[in-house]
Amino acid sequence: MSTSASSPDSFLSLLQRSFPFVVPTSAAENDISGLSQSIYPDTTYNDNEKIEISQWLTTSFRLATPDEDEAKHAERLGSLNTHLSSRTTLLGSKPSVADIALFARLGPAVQKWTGEERTGQHGYHHIVRYIDFVQNAPFFGLTLSEEDKVKIDVDDVRYVQKPIDPKEEKERKKKEKAAAAAAADGDATQKPLVVGQGRGQGASKSKKEKAQETVETSKENIKGAVVTGDSTPQPKTEKKKEKPPKAPKQPAAEPPLSPHLIDLRVGHILKAIAHPNADSLYVSTIACGDPPGTDNTSLHDGLPARTVCSGLNGLIPLPEMQNRKVVVVCNLKPVTMRGVKSAAMVLAASPRPTDDAAAAGGDPHAGPVELVSPPAGARAGERVCFEGWRGEPEGVLNPKKKVWEACQVGFTTTGGREVAFDAGRVPQLRGEAEGKGVGRLVTESGGVCTVESLAGAVVR
């Protein structure tokens, strides 16, 4: 597949040609990220969307890199195609400068794709549809000549997957259920045939026989009334069998407290910036090994990544937050921090406060802070757990159960600066601490997670 892309200045020239009063000729690529609001003044962008625009600008640059590895390039295109399968624009429905960047940088490559690469069974149907929409919709306001547009034959569709109509599928299942119920009722109400007797015999009686039965029944009712002293004939009643009460469903047994319930993984910080609304926070884009389409992820450089807020601004220099491996907690309930939704937490160590400092009301976070580092060669998304406490993590920790808060007090570092779990520090686990000792934090491949210099520290 062709990976050739546009020239480096084609994106800027398209912006300057289409929006000359907004994008000056002296504008550089670093100035582009914040231009969406000026280009589309009727559209508003929240903080999460502004961060996503910046991420998509980086992704568009990666897709336009001529020496992109073939397999990596195909992976990025596949993730982008999946992302666009349920969206009109990169942000969903809002136009942004990121859409223009992706069109300008990826369009020349799409121009060279074959019909199979465009709309074949394994083609990138949604990318082709998106490129055609961006170049033709007045929605985006681009100034393009016919020669500038990607030639797309809307009738050349090589493979069509029949979509499932939700209403038709629901109606079909409803009819099948009704037919099955009707068949069951028919079997239950059908009277058995008497051997040697046809359906017409015994199944129906003559009028004379029916009248005789009515007279006999009336006589029996009158006799019953005379015996009981009641002038009103009493109908025969049958006692209904009482059904035994259903046993109440037992609630699912809750797993015992254990640090393995916490989903710890190796994360790769792809990018980190200062939080736009909080001086003490960083906003990091971290790849955690999530599959495409996972909740609370977005694509960055073609990879699913989480947006993570951390209170490390002023404690760790921003350059040290770039392009590095960390350990992240991935199953805490997402929280919004000053307008930015955070979907994970970065582990870091700080000195354990003394009892005197705690009693004096000192800041428990004061002092040097060091990020927890996975072993060299650990891959993003690799599970991390404590020795002696292995098991499957919860999907999302229930905040009411306080699993993280209860276990975190046992997170520490050893004299060898290895991150570990000391169950003796957790009141609920002291009975299990005997025989287990202090378990080191290790990856699936057996490497140990460490900090740079802090021993006996608090890890949170």
Side-chain angles (χ1 to χ4, degrees), residues 47-236:
D47 292 329
N48 279 332
E49 289 170 335
K50 291 175 182 177
I51 292 172
E52 194 173 348
I53 289 170
S54 177
Q55 294 171 346
W56 277 116
L57 286 170
T58 303
T59 298
S60 69
F61 176 79
R62 296 289 186 191
L63 287 169
T65 303
D67 58 352
E68 172 87 319
D69 176 75
E70 188 75 19
K72 188 67 175 177
H73 189 74
E75 181 183 352
R76 293 187 201 278
L77 288 176
S79 298
L80 175 62
N81 194 63
T82 301
H83 179 80
L84 292 172
S85 65
S86 58
R87 294 168 175 83
T88 305
T89 70
L90 291 175
L91 296 182
S93 59
K94 297 180 180 180
S96 71
V97 69
D99 292 297
I100 304 173
L102 190 60
F103 167 77
R105 289 166 170 166
L106 188 58
V110 176
Q111 181 80 288
K112 298 179 181 180
W113 286 356
T114 65
E116 282 297 319
E117 288 174 329
R118 291 186 178 197
T119 60
Q121 185 172 359
H122 303 292
Y124 302 108
H125 311 65
H126 304 295
I127 294 178
V128 174
R129 181 262 308 161
Y130 166 79
I131 291 292
D132 192 49
F133 177 65
V134 173
Q135 68 183 4
N136 289 308
F139 188 58
F140 290 97
L142 298 182
T143 301
L144 293 167
S145 65
E146 288 302 317
E147 290 74 18
D148 294 329
K149 293 182 179 181
V150 178
K151 304 300 184 293
I152 295 175
D153 184 357
V154 295
D155 296 321
D156 184 14
V157 179
R158 306 295 176 90
Y159 177 78
V160 178
Q161 184 175 2
K162 185 179 179 182
I164 297 175
D165 189 324
K167 291 184 178 179
E168 290 182 1
E169 183 68 8
K170 184 177 180 180
E171 189 64 28
R172 182 185 66 78
K173 290 182 178 180
K174 185 177 179 181
K175 289 180 179 179
E176 287 180 355
K177 187 175 181 181
D185 291 343
D187 292 340
T189 57
Q190 185 175 3
K191 293 182 179 179
L193 293 176
V194 179
V195 177
Q197 189 177 50
R199 287 186 179 273
Q201 296 175 328
S204 61
K205 297 181 180 180
S206 65
K207 291 183 179 179
K208 184 176 180 180
E209 289 174 334
K210 290 181 180 179
Q212 184 65 28
E213 284 185 359
T214 302
V215 171
E216 293 297 329
T217 302
S218 299
K219 288 180 179 180
E220 291 295 328
N221 289 340
I222 293 171
K223 287 179 182 179
V226 171
V227 172
T228 59
D230 189 352
S231 59
T232 304
Q234 299 296 319
K236 294 181 180 180

